[in-house]
Amino acid sequence: PELPSGPILDLGTGSGAIALALKHARPDATVHAVDTSTDALVVAQANATRLGLAVQFHTGSWLSPFDGRPQFDAIVSNPPYIASADAHLAALTHEPLSALASGHDGLDDLRLIIGQAGQHLQPDGWLLLEHGYDQAQAVQDLLGNAGFTQVQSHADLAGILRCSGGRWPRVK
């Protein structure tokens, strides 16, 4: 999908990389970014200041800082998606566990975001999500079951389906 010029929301922004890339690509768009970690938001704000990019940062869990009215043309997220018992987690020490793992199958945060996103998307708005190398079908199913249309997945540079999304319908 083409990047909208309307409001965009980055959930779980961390260092702000995605929100800042979106603002750089669409300077006319209002970009919001949310994270539960105030330390991460300090880093993200410093990055925004250093790059001269105006992004609105919010502290909170996923969509909690917003009132539930449809206000975004796109919501994007790279949420935790690793299964909590995955052996690879032991080697991933640069990030807090809460930024990586999400339940027994790695889909808990994705389920939550998909379940709430429609309340915050304008009609025809997109929800775009990064996920694990083997989760594309599960995420597509979650999106379809939640009422999203035009559900699709896209491959990363290695040819692995790692990003899925869907469009919120005009009439529900």
Side-chain angles (χ1 to χ4, degrees):
E2 185 176 320
L3 283 177
S5 60
I8 301 170
L9 174 60
D10 176 24
L11 298 174
T13 197
S15 68
I18 294 172
L20 296 170
L22 290 168
K23 184 63 177 179
H24 178 76
R26 288 307 300 251
D28 54 335
T30 301
V31 178
H32 296 264
V34 175
D35 206 291
T36 59
S37 168
T38 54
D39 291 341
L41 289 172
V42 167
V43 171
Q45 182 62 61
N47 288 336
T49 300
R50 183 174 49 82
L51 295 170
L53 296 169
V55 171
Q56 297 179 33
F57 294 100
H58 310 269
T59 303
S61 178
W62 304 128
L63 291 147
S64 66
F66 303 96
D67 65 9
R69 62 189 165 85
Q71 56 190 319
F72 297 105
D73 288 345
I75 298 173
V76 301
S77 186
N78 177 11
Y81 53 74
I82 300 173
S84 54
D86 190 300
H88 296 97
L89 287 172
L92 302 174
T93 59
H94 294 293
E95 300 282 342
L97 186 62
S98 63
L100 302 170
S102 184
H104 76 283
D105 60 359
L107 296 171
D108 285 1
D109 288 309
L110 287 158
R111 281 186 195 93
L112 192 142
I113 292 166
I114 291 167
Q116 294 179 356
Q119 300 168 42
H120 300 273
L121 283 167
Q122 296 280 2
D124 289 332
W126 283 93
L127 175 62
L128 304 171
L129 304 162
E130 184 172 337
H131 52 71
Y133 72 95
D134 60 350
Q135 295 173 326
Q137 188 60 58
V139 173
Q140 286 182 18
D141 292 346
L142 290 168
L143 287 162
N145 291 338
F148 285 86
T149 62
Q150 298 180 40
V151 173
Q152 54 196 274
S153 295
H154 294 276
D156 63 12
L157 295 176
I160 301 167
L161 295 175
R162 292 291 310 277
C163 180
S164 295
R167 192 169 223 172
W168 193 243
R170 284 193 172 273
V171 179
K172 182 84 172 116

